[in-house]
Amino acid sequence: METAFTPMASLAGGALIGLAAVLLMLFEGRIAGVSGILARLLPPLDGLFLRRLAFVAGLFAAPFAVALATGAAVPFHLEAGTGTLVLGGLLVGFGTVIGAGCTSGHGICGLSLLSPRSMVAVPVFMATAAATVFVVRHLA
């Protein structure tokens, strides 16, 4: 499987993610950690439930907004089966609990705030991702 390199789309996406993180910090005083936002959609609910729901809805709506703006569907191809997706989801969820956060919270917000915990977590995420890609593409 070959992965296409799209520098302009990647730059635009990264800029939008960074902007969203800055705006959330500016207006809410909160870090844009997606796993934490998702976890807090479950009971007990608080006064920020609708804001969190809007944030998550925006994550799902983004590809549709791009398709509306450009007139072309966002390319998406998935080769994994249901079992692999379920196992991967459970492992990622378990990892975010053990790591006390996810790649967005640690990688985008934590590193920019020079958090020592994030400076350890992000290299662990990246090494694990690289090892996983190697195993899946070369040994599986």
Side-chain angles (χ1 to χ4, degrees), residues 18 28 35 55 59:
E28 299 290 331
S35 64
F55 184 90
L59 295 175

Side-chain angles (χ1 to χ4, degrees), residues 48-69:
L48 298 176
F49 175 78
L50 290 177
R51 290 180 185 177
R52 291 185 185 113
L53 186 61
F55 184 90
V56 172
L59 295 175
F60 286 101
F64 301 105
V66 169
L68 281 173

Side-chain angles (χ1 to χ4, degrees), residues 5-132:
F5 178 58
T6 55
M8 293 313 291
S10 301
L11 179 64
L16 287 173
I17 291 169
L19 177 63
V22 167
L23 291 175
L24 189 61
M25 180 64 82
L26 180 67
F27 291 114
E28 299 290 331
R30 299 186 180 280
I31 288 177
V34 176
S35 64
I37 291 170
L38 271 173
R40 288 179 187 88
L41 285 176
L42 301 172
L45 304 179
D46 61 15
L48 298 176
F49 175 78
L50 290 177
R51 290 180 185 177
R52 291 185 185 113
L53 186 61
F55 184 90
V56 172
L59 295 175
F60 286 101
F64 301 105
V66 169
L68 281 173
T70 64
V74 175
F76 181 77
H77 178 71
L78 189 61
E79 293 183 14
T82 304
T84 302
L85 293 175
V86 169
L87 178 61
L90 289 171
L91 289 172
V92 168
F94 183 66
T96 60
V97 169
I98 297 235
C102 59
T103 53
S104 56
H106 282 299
I108 296 166
C109 300
L111 288 181
S112 63
L113 294 171
L114 302 177
S115 163
R117 188 168 69 175
S118 295
M119 288 184 199
V120 172
V122 172
V124 171
F125 294 161
M126 297 304 290
T128 303
T132 301

